[in-house]
Amino acid sequence: MSTSVRRVVTGHDAEGNSIFVSDTRIEPFVPSFSPGTAFHQLWGGDETPTFPEDGARPNVSTYFPPVGGFRFGFFTLAPASEAPPKDLYVASALAEVERALPGMFTYNEPDQPGMHTTPTIDFEVVLAGEVELELDDGLKVLLREGDTVVQNGTRHRWSNPGNVPATLAVFICGAHHDNV
């Protein structure tokens, strides 16, 4: 899903009544290293939300939330068969991702491409296509449209074995991650 997504936000007026605060389209970030991949950062905060509030989008400091923080968005994964652009300059592509999604690669393992462990609980729903979720022991599960995942801070990586982009809705909560 590399097109914009409509986001409608509600909030409260000065008297505490429910109101529509905004109705806007959110453009995705599409990394240059994978034009079939897209990230829609729809909402998030670094602290536990409180009510009433005006419906303004909270500030976030990194892609993955701290303990008590949360994120909501879409993630589109290109097919594994899609090669990066031939003229890709890796250092520039990584800097581009860091600017758009701060800290995204902080948890990635350089010697195991895509493998990462985050201090979060992630709730995912496959909206379109199919994705493969691989855990650290090599076990894999294929997920299709309508399938869900609750990811409890486990070491994992995603891939798309299909021939069309796969889109997931994601809700991510920062959590304490005791090292095992």
Side-chain angles (χ1 to χ4, degrees), residues 111-123:
D111 60 334
Q112 295 287 322
M115 192 62 78
H116 60 284
T117 308
T118 58
T120 61
I121 298 174
D122 310 347
F123 304 88

Side-chain angles (χ1 to χ4, degrees), residues 87-107:
D87 60 348
L88 178 69
Y89 183 61
V90 176
S92 293
L94 293 174
E96 170 194 47
V97 172
E98 184 59 28
R99 281 189 303 276
L101 309 170
M104 167 62 91
F105 290 134
T106 301
Y107 301 97

Side-chain angles (χ1 to χ4, degrees), residues 21-155:
V21 175
S22 67
D23 185 343
T24 189
R25 301 213 57 95
I26 304 299
E27 296 295 327
F29 165 67
V30 178
S32 61
F33 69 82
S34 182
T37 298
F39 296 85
H40 288 83
Q41 298 179 80
L42 300 175
W43 201 258
D46 284 348
E47 298 175 359
T48 303
T50 59
F51 301 109
E53 42 66 48
D54 64 3
R57 184 174 177 180
N59 292 324
V60 298
S61 56
T62 58
Y63 181 77
F64 294 106
V67 172
F70 61 97
R71 304 289 186 267
F72 172 58
F74 289 168
F75 166 54
T76 300
L77 188 59
S81 60
E82 183 180 296
K86 292 184 184 341
D87 60 348
L88 178 69
Y89 183 61
V90 176
S92 293
L94 293 174
E96 170 194 47
V97 172
E98 184 59 28
R99 281 189 303 276
L101 309 170
M104 167 62 91
F105 290 134
T106 301
Y107 301 97
N108 279 22
E109 300 173 19
D111 60 334
Q112 295 287 322
M115 192 62 78
H116 60 284
T117 308
T118 58
T120 61
I121 298 174
D122 310 347
F123 304 88
E124 289 108 357
V125 180
V126 180
L127 301 176
E130 59 185 31
V131 294
E132 191 170 69
L133 174 60
E134 178 183 353
L135 300 182
D136 58 6
D137 59 3
L139 288 177
K140 298 177 182 181
V141 64
L142 183 65
L143 302 160
R144 295 188 173 95
E145 187 174 321
D147 290 344
T148 64
V149 174
V150 177
Q151 181 82 281
N152 284 303
T154 55
R155 184 174 176 255

